[in-house]
């Protein structure tokens, strides 16, 4: 059995942008999407500074162990805000020590404190470990919904239409 690790969580600030950007790049490598990362530390700092997004950073001592980046959306049906988890990443050395659960627990606390009607996120269909974990904490798939996305040239064309 692995030794018990002691994690600390704190909110990220614009001063953490370089660290958060590095962790985002590590996540992109894990998800096989590194070619899609175009943001840099300056853009992350600006977003955090303007409250477009919020993030939790996790540490073991002084060593960064992972992060969760989230923002608030709105449910028209519930007429309440929701918390949307954009990304959760735990560095490989710190997996299977309860950090993912700790990050989700803290986000659920934030959602409840902010009177959110729901807490949701997406998961890659091939990430079976994550899917099993999410089911174990009570998350349910949205079987009837398919995420749609418009980016890049398609976004610009839509804006010009």
């Amino acid at each position: 059995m692995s030794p018990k690790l002691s994690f600390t969580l704190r909110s990220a600030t614009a001063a953490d942008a370089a660290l958060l950007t590095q962790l985002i790049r590590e996540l992109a490598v894990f998800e096989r999407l590194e070619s899609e990362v175009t943001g840099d530390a300056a853009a992350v700092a600006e977003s955090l500074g303007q409250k477009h997004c919020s993030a939790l950073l996790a540490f073991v001592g002084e060593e960064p162990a992972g992060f969760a980046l989230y923002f608030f959306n709105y449910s028209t049906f519930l007429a309440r805000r929701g918390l949307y988890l954009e990304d959760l990443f735990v560095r490989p050395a710190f997996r299977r020590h309860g950090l993912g659960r700790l990050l989700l627990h803290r986000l659920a606390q934030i959602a409840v404190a902010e009177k959110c009607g729901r807490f949701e996120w997406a998961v890659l269909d091939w990430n079976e470990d994550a899917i099993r974990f999410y089911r174990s904490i009570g998350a349910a798939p949205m079987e009837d919904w398919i995420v749609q996305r418009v980016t890049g040239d398609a976004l610009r064309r839509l804006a010009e239409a």
Side-chain angles (χ1 to χ4, degrees):
M1 174 123 185
S2 301
K4 178 90 169 129
L5 296 177
S6 179
F7 297 104
T8 57
L9 303 180
R10 69 169 172 80
S11 294
T13 68
D16 296 308
L19 170 59
L20 192 52
T21 301
Q22 174 59 40
L23 291 168
I24 289 167
R25 290 185 189 290
E26 291 177 31
L27 168 65
V29 169
F30 172 76
E31 290 182 341
R32 306 174 201 149
L33 297 170
E34 57 266 40
S35 65
E36 294 189 27
V37 177
T38 60
D40 59 14
V44 170
E46 181 179 353
S47 294
L48 285 170
Q50 294 182 8
K51 303 294 183 187
H52 294 303
C53 66
S54 298
L56 297 174
L57 290 171
F59 296 87
V60 173
E62 297 295 316
E63 187 173 358
F67 78 98
L69 190 137
Y70 64 98
F71 58 89
F72 294 99
N73 57 16
Y74 189 80
S75 167
T76 53
F77 290 0
L78 299 177
R80 296 171 75 180
R81 290 194 318 165
L83 190 149
Y84 190 85
L85 172 60
E86 179 66 22
D87 284 314
L88 185 147
F89 177 69
V90 174
R91 284 180 155 166
F94 303 106
R95 293 181 187 156
R96 303 201 182 277
H97 291 278
L99 179 53
R101 183 177 300 269
L102 178 64
L103 285 163
L104 290 171
H105 171 73
R106 180 65 189 117
L107 291 169
Q109 289 176 326
I110 292 168
V112 169
E114 294 290 328
K115 298 182 173 63
C116 293
R118 61 187 179 201
F119 170 24
E120 57 194 354
W121 61 91
V123 61
L124 290 166
D125 61 359
W126 57 260
N127 195 343
E128 294 178 14
D129 287 341
I131 292 168
R132 272 193 303 278
F133 169 63
Y134 295 147
R135 297 297 167 272
S136 78
I137 63 166
M142 300 289 296
E143 300 287 349
D144 297 335
W145 295 89
I146 299 174
V147 174
Q148 303 296 301
R149 179 177 290 165
V150 180
T151 62
D153 290 338
L155 176 59
R156 285 185 282 286
R157 284 192 303 274
L158 181 60
E160 293 169 357

